[in-house]
Amino acid sequence: MSVSRDDFSIAFRSALLQRGGAQKFSVLSLIFLALIIFFLDVYGAKFTKPVRGFLNDVVYRITFLASTPTRFFPQVSKDLTKYFNVKAENEKLKAEIEKYKLLELNVEFLSDENKNLQKILETEYFNKNLSNVVLAKVLVDKNSPFLKSIIINKGTRTGILKGMPVTHNNYLVGRIVETNYLSSRVLLLNDLNSRIPVTLDQGAQAILSGGGTNNPTLEYLPEDYKVIEEINVFASGKDGIFSPGAPIGMTNLDGEVDLFVDPNQLSFVTVNLSIQNLGKL
Amino acid sequence: MAKNSLFYKIYNAGPLLLLYYLCISEVDTNLEKVFEIFTLNFQIILIYFWVLKKPELMANGHIFLAGLINDVVMGFPLGISSLSYLIIIFVGTYVRNKSVNTTIASDWFTFFMAMIFSNLLFFSLLNNFSDLEFSYSKIGYNMFFTLFMFPIFWLLFNIYQISFIGNRDA
């Protein structure tokens, strides 16, 4: 009995303290070091924020470079496919141009009417101040089962602050949750931690909650409200972060929201510098 | 293969380079696009196997550093992945010290223990010391598929070890 206990303690101690050969550090010393770093980072000592910011900027750049091969080969195959389909695409585009010419007049009338109505409602037209919009490139888009976020190549140097809304082709994709000098992290709408107030086509208010899956869900809908297919979902702007009326997605048969922008396919996004959430992020 | 040859050194560095690459690049083992719930933690399989079979190829300091890089890229609090990896090293080294001969089944079982301890620490710290929310079902799927895929990677790594490194077992 005592022999087996000795064996256990020797093996246990050895596993914790063993050094030599390739092992220059014992597991125990590294556990202590990791704990110190963890608590310094969590409780945010004064000097840790700039250090972490610098570390983030450096690592994100290296990650971008290291991921180049994984981005290069799919892009080449995509370009080749496009090249071979160019004739068919040309005909399709010609047909589309004809269609859009017909629609143009209609759109002009509707946009004028929309601007007038927005003036009446005293809301801000979300494209009004284009000088306050920054275009950013997606540096890292690492898919994680627990966090749905992307890293962009603009940070506090360009005026980006926590809470600013991020869009792609005017469709909302998320908001800034971490800023560094040269980069920022965007929390996507489908992340488990994302909650935003939205308005539905028919005027109903709800909260759009990310679930970690591709399609977020609608919560806190009015009682007896039945979600049907193809209802447009817009940001309500009640939180003061997102522009009212910014389109987000469309409901599907399962009562979830199909986002207008696929969060896994983002290459460039825009950050609206004129809006910042002052609440807790 | 001569121990001083360049290829031998490259093959020896293979597992560590793969670990660093997985931590720093966009490449991930989250295959939700293929199958909705299929995610696995490949890093811990990699670390556990090599700590058990050839610990001299996986220096503790390098694994610690890879964990820090992983935290930066994933947006977790710094040090949390390092702690989780160090627990894997600890269990692996303990099992290595205690056992003379191992089989795929014994490695599989001990890996399960290592993964439980490591994930328990990881998610307890994340739950108590950060604002991040996570889905317990996702953690469950992740652990299940990591455990499920272990024997497949065990065999692949074993083939790699026999073919390129030699000295099959401890």
mmCIF file with all atom_site columns, all heavy atoms in Angstrom, chain B residues 132-147:
data_model
loop_
_atom_site.group_PDB
_atom_site.id
_atom_site.type_symbol
_atom_site.label_atom_id
_atom_site.label_alt_id
_atom_site.label_comp_id
_atom_site.label_asym_id
_atom_site.label_entity_id
_atom_site.label_seq_id
_atom_site.pdbx_PDB_ins_code
_atom_site.Cartn_x
_atom_site.Cartn_y
_atom_site.Cartn_z
_atom_site.occupancy
_atom_site.B_iso_or_equiv
_atom_site.pdbx_formal_charge
_atom_site.auth_seq_id
_atom_site.auth_comp_id
_atom_site.auth_asym_id
_atom_site.auth_atom_id
_atom_site.pdbx_PDB_model_num
ATOM 1   N N   . LEU B 1 132 ? -17.336 36.339 -21.400 1.00 0.00 ? 132 LEU B N   1
ATOM 2   C CA  . LEU B 1 132 ? -17.716 35.516 -22.547 1.00 0.00 ? 132 LEU B CA  1
ATOM 3   C C   . LEU B 1 132 ? -18.745 34.467 -22.144 1.00 0.00 ? 132 LEU B C   1
ATOM 4   O O   . LEU B 1 132 ? -18.617 33.837 -21.097 1.00 0.00 ? 132 LEU B O   1
ATOM 5   C CB  . LEU B 1 132 ? -16.487 34.810 -23.125 1.00 0.00 ? 132 LEU B CB  1
ATOM 6   C CG  . LEU B 1 132 ? -15.405 35.697 -23.711 1.00 0.00 ? 132 LEU B CG  1
ATOM 7   C CD1 . LEU B 1 132 ? -14.199 34.872 -24.090 1.00 0.00 ? 132 LEU B CD1 1
ATOM 8   C CD2 . LEU B 1 132 ? -15.942 36.421 -24.923 1.00 0.00 ? 132 LEU B CD2 1
ATOM 9   N N   . GLU B 1 133 ? -19.737 34.319 -23.004 1.00 0.00 ? 133 GLU B N   1
ATOM 10  C CA  . GLU B 1 133 ? -20.729 33.266 -22.781 1.00 0.00 ? 133 GLU B CA  1
ATOM 11  C C   . GLU B 1 133 ? -20.413 32.136 -23.736 1.00 0.00 ? 133 GLU B C   1
ATOM 12  O O   . GLU B 1 133 ? -19.897 32.354 -24.819 1.00 0.00 ? 133 GLU B O   1
ATOM 13  C CB  . GLU B 1 133 ? -22.123 33.789 -23.119 1.00 0.00 ? 133 GLU B CB  1
ATOM 14  C CG  . GLU B 1 133 ? -22.777 34.559 -22.004 1.00 0.00 ? 133 GLU B CG  1
ATOM 15  C CD  . GLU B 1 133 ? -24.178 35.006 -22.398 1.00 0.00 ? 133 GLU B CD  1
ATOM 16  O OE1 . GLU B 1 133 ? -24.866 34.242 -23.081 1.00 0.00 ? 133 GLU B OE1 1
ATOM 17  O OE2 . GLU B 1 133 ? -24.535 36.124 -22.015 1.00 0.00 ? 133 GLU B OE2 1
ATOM 18  N N   . PHE B 1 134 ? -20.702 30.919 -23.334 1.00 0.00 ? 134 PHE B N   1
ATOM 19  C CA  . PHE B 1 134 ? -20.507 29.809 -24.267 1.00 0.00 ? 134 PHE B CA  1
ATOM 20  C C   . PHE B 1 134 ? -21.608 28.789 -24.077 1.00 0.00 ? 134 PHE B C   1
ATOM 21  O O   . PHE B 1 134 ? -22.245 28.725 -23.033 1.00 0.00 ? 134 PHE B O   1
ATOM 22  C CB  . PHE B 1 134 ? -19.116 29.184 -24.123 1.00 0.00 ? 134 PHE B CB  1
ATOM 23  C CG  . PHE B 1 134 ? -18.681 29.002 -22.707 1.00 0.00 ? 134 PHE B CG  1
ATOM 24  C CD1 . PHE B 1 134 ? -19.069 27.894 -22.006 1.00 0.00 ? 134 PHE B CD1 1
ATOM 25  C CD2 . PHE B 1 134 ? -17.900 29.957 -22.079 1.00 0.00 ? 134 PHE B CD2 1
ATOM 26  C CE1 . PHE B 1 134 ? -18.687 27.725 -20.697 1.00 0.00 ? 134 PHE B CE1 1
ATOM 27  C CE2 . PHE B 1 134 ? -17.505 29.805 -20.760 1.00 0.00 ? 134 PHE B CE2 1
ATOM 28  C CZ  . PHE B 1 134 ? -17.901 28.677 -20.073 1.00 0.00 ? 134 PHE B CZ  1
ATOM 29  N N   . SER B 1 135 ? -21.798 28.009 -25.132 1.00 0.00 ? 135 SER B N   1
ATOM 30  C CA  . SER B 1 135 ? -22.886 27.033 -25.089 1.00 0.00 ? 135 SER B CA  1
ATOM 31  C C   . SER B 1 135 ? -22.347 25.697 -24.581 1.00 0.00 ? 135 SER B C   1
ATOM 32  O O   . SER B 1 135 ? -21.353 25.183 -25.110 1.00 0.00 ? 135 SER B O   1
ATOM 33  C CB  . SER B 1 135 ? -23.465 26.917 -26.494 1.00 0.00 ? 135 SER B CB  1
ATOM 34  O OG  . SER B 1 135 ? -23.884 25.627 -26.749 1.00 0.00 ? 135 SER B OG  1
ATOM 35  N N   . TYR B 1 136 ? -23.020 25.151 -23.575 1.00 0.00 ? 136 TYR B N   1
ATOM 36  C CA  . TYR B 1 136 ? -22.557 23.879 -22.999 1.00 0.00 ? 136 TYR B CA  1
ATOM 37  C C   . TYR B 1 136 ? -22.696 22.731 -24.007 1.00 0.00 ? 136 TYR B C   1
ATOM 38  O O   . TYR B 1 136 ? -21.904 21.790 -23.991 1.00 0.00 ? 136 TYR B O   1
ATOM 39  C CB  . TYR B 1 136 ? -23.306 23.578 -21.703 1.00 0.00 ? 136 TYR B CB  1
ATOM 40  C CG  . TYR B 1 136 ? -22.876 24.508 -20.589 1.00 0.00 ? 136 TYR B CG  1
ATOM 41  C CD1 . TYR B 1 136 ? -23.623 25.621 -20.249 1.00 0.00 ? 136 TYR B CD1 1
ATOM 42  C CD2 . TYR B 1 136 ? -21.684 24.283 -19.911 1.00 0.00 ? 136 TYR B CD2 1
ATOM 43  C CE1 . TYR B 1 136 ? -23.196 26.500 -19.265 1.00 0.00 ? 136 TYR B CE1 1
ATOM 44  C CE2 . TYR B 1 136 ? -21.251 25.142 -18.926 1.00 0.00 ? 136 TYR B CE2 1
ATOM 45  C CZ  . TYR B 1 136 ? -22.013 26.253 -18.594 1.00 0.00 ? 136 TYR B CZ  1
ATOM 46  O OH  . TYR B 1 136 ? -21.579 27.112 -17.626 1.00 0.00 ? 136 TYR B OH  1
ATOM 47  N N   . SER B 1 137 ? -23.708 22.819 -24.864 1.00 0.00 ? 137 SER B N   1
ATOM 48  C CA  . SER B 1 137 ? -23.857 21.740 -25.851 1.00 0.00 ? 137 SER B CA  1
ATOM 49  C C   . SER B 1 137 ? -22.669 21.756 -26.819 1.00 0.00 ? 137 SER B C   1
ATOM 50  O O   . SER B 1 137 ? -22.163 20.712 -27.215 1.00 0.00 ? 137 SER B O   1
ATOM 51  C CB  . SER B 1 137 ? -25.172 21.878 -26.604 1.00 0.00 ? 137 SER B CB  1
ATOM 52  O OG  . SER B 1 137 ? -25.209 23.103 -27.269 1.00 0.00 ? 137 SER B OG  1
ATOM 53  N N   . LYS B 1 138 ? -22.196 22.960 -27.149 1.00 0.00 ? 138 LYS B N   1
ATOM 54  C CA  . LYS B 1 138 ? -21.037 23.056 -28.056 1.00 0.00 ? 138 LYS B CA  1
ATOM 55  C C   . LYS B 1 138 ? -19.791 22.465 -27.406 1.00 0.00 ? 138 LYS B C   1
ATOM 56  O O   . LYS B 1 138 ? -18.983 21.824 -28.064 1.00 0.00 ? 138 LYS B O   1
ATOM 57  C CB  . LYS B 1 138 ? -20.783 24.510 -28.438 1.00 0.00 ? 138 LYS B CB  1
ATOM 58  C CG  . LYS B 1 138 ? -21.795 25.020 -29.409 1.00 0.00 ? 138 LYS B CG  1
ATOM 59  C CD  . LYS B 1 138 ? -21.161 25.913 -30.431 1.00 0.00 ? 138 LYS B CD  1
ATOM 60  C CE  . LYS B 1 138 ? -22.088 26.016 -31.620 1.00 0.00 ? 138 LYS B CE  1
ATOM 61  N NZ  . LYS B 1 138 ? -21.488 26.673 -32.740 1.00 0.00 ? 138 LYS B NZ  1
ATOM 62  N N   . ILE B 1 139 ? -19.650 22.730 -26.110 1.00 0.00 ? 139 ILE B N   1
ATOM 63  C CA  . ILE B 1 139 ? -18.493 22.171 -25.393 1.00 0.00 ? 139 ILE B CA  1
ATOM 64  C C   . ILE B 1 139 ? -18.590 20.643 -25.428 1.00 0.00 ? 139 ILE B C   1
ATOM 65  O O   . ILE B 1 139 ? -17.606 19.937 -25.658 1.00 0.00 ? 139 ILE B O   1
ATOM 66  C CB  . ILE B 1 139 ? -18.462 22.662 -23.930 1.00 0.00 ? 139 ILE B CB  1
ATOM 67  C CG1 . ILE B 1 139 ? -18.322 24.178 -23.890 1.00 0.00 ? 139 ILE B CG1 1
ATOM 68  C CG2 . ILE B 1 139 ? -17.331 22.007 -23.155 1.00 0.00 ? 139 ILE B CG2 1
ATOM 69  C CD1 . ILE B 1 139 ? -18.512 24.770 -22.514 1.00 0.00 ? 139 ILE B CD1 1
ATOM 70  N N   . GLY B 1 140 ? -19.811 20.144 -25.199 1.00 0.00 ? 140 GLY B N   1
ATOM 71  C CA  . GLY B 1 140 ? -20.037 18.694 -25.209 1.00 0.00 ? 140 GLY B CA  1
ATOM 72  C C   . GLY B 1 140 ? -19.687 18.084 -26.549 1.00 0.00 ? 140 GLY B C   1
ATOM 73  O O   . GLY B 1 140 ? -18.955 17.087 -26.614 1.00 0.00 ? 140 GLY B O   1
ATOM 74  N N   . TYR B 1 141 ? -20.165 18.708 -27.641 1.00 0.00 ? 141 TYR B N   1
ATOM 75  C CA  . TYR B 1 141 ? -19.863 18.185 -28.979 1.00 0.00 ? 141 TYR B CA  1
ATOM 76  C C   . TYR B 1 141 ? -18.363 18.231 -29.241 1.00 0.00 ? 141 TYR B C   1
ATOM 77  O O   . TYR B 1 141 ? -17.791 17.299 -29.788 1.00 0.00 ? 141 TYR B O   1
ATOM 78  C CB  . TYR B 1 141 ? -20.566 19.029 -30.058 1.00 0.00 ? 141 TYR B CB  1
ATOM 79  C CG  . TYR B 1 141 ? -22.068 18.893 -30.083 1.00 0.00 ? 141 TYR B CG  1
ATOM 80  C CD1 . TYR B 1 141 ? -22.888 20.013 -30.232 1.00 0.00 ? 141 TYR B CD1 1
ATOM 81  C CD2 . TYR B 1 141 ? -22.681 17.643 -29.972 1.00 0.00 ? 141 TYR B CD2 1
ATOM 82  C CE1 . TYR B 1 141 ? -24.271 19.893 -30.266 1.00 0.00 ? 141 TYR B CE1 1
ATOM 83  C CE2 . TYR B 1 141 ? -24.055 17.524 -30.004 1.00 0.00 ? 141 TYR B CE2 1
ATOM 84  C CZ  . TYR B 1 141 ? -24.843 18.652 -30.144 1.00 0.00 ? 141 TYR B CZ  1
ATOM 85  O OH  . TYR B 1 141 ? -26.200 18.536 -30.177 1.00 0.00 ? 141 TYR B OH  1
ATOM 86  N N   . ASN B 1 142 ? -17.762 19.346 -28.847 1.00 0.00 ? 142 ASN B N   1
ATOM 87  C CA  . ASN B 1 142 ? -16.328 19.518 -29.066 1.00 0.00 ? 142 ASN B CA  1
ATOM 88  C C   . ASN B 1 142 ? -15.539 18.413 -28.358 1.00 0.00 ? 142 ASN B C   1
ATOM 89  O O   . ASN B 1 142 ? -14.649 17.797 -28.943 1.00 0.00 ? 142 ASN B O   1
ATOM 90  C CB  . ASN B 1 142 ? -15.911 20.898 -28.558 1.00 0.00 ? 142 ASN B CB  1
ATOM 91  C CG  . ASN B 1 142 ? -14.470 21.209 -28.835 1.00 0.00 ? 142 ASN B CG  1
ATOM 92  O OD1 . ASN B 1 142 ? -13.616 20.937 -28.007 1.00 0.00 ? 142 ASN B OD1 1
ATOM 93  N ND2 . ASN B 1 142 ? -14.186 21.757 -29.993 1.00 0.00 ? 142 ASN B ND2 1
ATOM 94  N N   . MET B 1 143 ? -15.913 18.138 -27.110 1.00 0.00 ? 143 MET B N   1
ATOM 95  C CA  . MET B 1 143 ? -15.197 17.104 -26.349 1.00 0.00 ? 143 MET B CA  1
ATOM 96  C C   . MET B 1 143 ? -15.453 15.724 -26.952 1.00 0.00 ? 143 MET B C   1
ATOM 97  O O   . MET B 1 143 ? -14.545 14.905 -27.069 1.00 0.00 ? 143 MET B O   1
ATOM 98  C CB  . MET B 1 143 ? -15.637 17.134 -24.880 1.00 0.00 ? 143 MET B CB  1
ATOM 99  C CG  . MET B 1 143 ? -15.026 18.293 -24.122 1.00 0.00 ? 143 MET B CG  1
ATOM 100 S SD  . MET B 1 143 ? -15.635 18.417 -22.446 1.00 0.00 ? 143 MET B SD  1
ATOM 101 C CE  . MET B 1 143 ? -14.849 17.054 -21.665 1.00 0.00 ? 143 MET B CE  1
ATOM 102 N N   . PHE B 1 144 ? -16.685 15.495 -27.351 1.00 0.00 ? 144 PHE B N   1
ATOM 103 C CA  . PHE B 1 144 ? -17.030 14.186 -27.907 1.00 0.00 ? 144 PHE B CA  1
ATOM 104 C C   . PHE B 1 144 ? -16.227 13.911 -29.180 1.00 0.00 ? 144 PHE B C   1
ATOM 105 O O   . PHE B 1 144 ? -15.610 12.858 -29.334 1.00 0.00 ? 144 PHE B O   1
ATOM 106 C CB  . PHE B 1 144 ? -18.537 14.114 -28.201 1.00 0.00 ? 144 PHE B CB  1
ATOM 107 C CG  . PHE B 1 144 ? -18.930 12.869 -28.945 1.00 0.00 ? 144 PHE B CG  1
ATOM 108 C CD1 . PHE B 1 144 ? -19.029 11.655 -28.277 1.00 0.00 ? 144 PHE B CD1 1
ATOM 109 C CD2 . PHE B 1 144 ? -19.170 12.903 -30.308 1.00 0.00 ? 144 PHE B CD2 1
ATOM 110 C CE1 . PHE B 1 144 ? -19.367 10.493 -28.968 1.00 0.00 ? 144 PHE B CE1 1
ATOM 111 C CE2 . PHE B 1 144 ? -19.500 11.748 -31.003 1.00 0.00 ? 144 PHE B CE2 1
ATOM 112 C CZ  . PHE B 1 144 ? -19.602 10.536 -30.330 1.00 0.00 ? 144 PHE B CZ  1
ATOM 113 N N   . PHE B 1 145 ? -16.225 14.895 -30.096 1.00 0.00 ? 145 PHE B N   1
ATOM 114 C CA  . PHE B 1 145 ? -15.527 14.671 -31.364 1.00 0.00 ? 145 PHE B CA  1
ATOM 115 C C   . PHE B 1 145 ? -14.009 14.648 -31.179 1.00 0.00 ? 145 PHE B C   1
ATOM 116 O O   . PHE B 1 145 ? -13.321 13.942 -31.906 1.00 0.00 ? 145 PHE B O   1
ATOM 117 C CB  . PHE B 1 145 ? -15.935 15.721 -32.400 1.00 0.00 ? 145 PHE B CB  1
ATOM 118 C CG  . PHE B 1 145 ? -17.307 15.479 -32.953 1.00 0.00 ? 145 PHE B CG  1
ATOM 119 C CD1 . PHE B 1 145 ? -18.344 16.345 -32.683 1.00 0.00 ? 145 PHE B CD1 1
ATOM 120 C CD2 . PHE B 1 145 ? -17.570 14.349 -33.711 1.00 0.00 ? 145 PHE B CD2 1
ATOM 121 C CE1 . PHE B 1 145 ? -19.622 16.107 -33.177 1.00 0.00 ? 145 PHE B CE1 1
ATOM 122 C CE2 . PHE B 1 145 ? -18.845 14.104 -34.206 1.00 0.00 ? 145 PHE B CE2 1
ATOM 123 C CZ  . PHE B 1 145 ? -19.877 14.979 -33.942 1.00 0.00 ? 145 PHE B CZ  1
ATOM 124 N N   . THR B 1 146 ? -13.507 15.399 -30.208 1.00 0.00 ? 146 THR B N   1
ATOM 125 C CA  . THR B 1 146 ? -12.061 15.347 -29.939 1.00 0.00 ? 146 THR B CA  1
ATOM 126 C C   . THR B 1 146 ? -11.693 13.941 -29.466 1.00 0.00 ? 146 THR B C   1
ATOM 127 O O   . THR B 1 146 ? -10.715 13.354 -29.928 1.00 0.00 ? 146 THR B O   1
ATOM 128 C CB  . THR B 1 146 ? -11.677 16.395 -28.875 1.00 0.00 ? 146 THR B CB  1
ATOM 129 O OG1 . THR B 1 146 ? -12.166 17.665 -29.281 1.00 0.00 ? 146 THR B OG1 1
ATOM 130 C CG2 . THR B 1 146 ? -10.183 16.475 -28.682 1.00 0.00 ? 146 THR B CG2 1
ATOM 131 N N   . LEU B 1 147 ? -12.513 13.416 -28.570 1.00 0.00 ? 147 LEU B N   1
ATOM 132 C CA  . LEU B 1 147 ? -12.264 12.063 -28.054 1.00 0.00 ? 147 LEU B CA  1
ATOM 133 C C   . LEU B 1 147 ? -12.445 11.024 -29.159 1.00 0.00 ? 147 LEU B C   1
ATOM 134 O O   . LEU B 1 147 ? -11.642 10.105 -29.308 1.00 0.00 ? 147 LEU B O   1
ATOM 135 C CB  . LEU B 1 147 ? -13.242 11.777 -26.904 1.00 0.00 ? 147 LEU B CB  1
ATOM 136 C CG  . LEU B 1 147 ? -13.019 10.470 -26.150 1.00 0.00 ? 147 LEU B CG  1
ATOM 137 C CD1 . LEU B 1 147 ? -11.706 10.503 -25.399 1.00 0.00 ? 147 LEU B CD1 1
ATOM 138 C CD2 . LEU B 1 147 ? -14.168 10.211 -25.182 1.00 0.00 ? 147 LEU B CD2 1
#
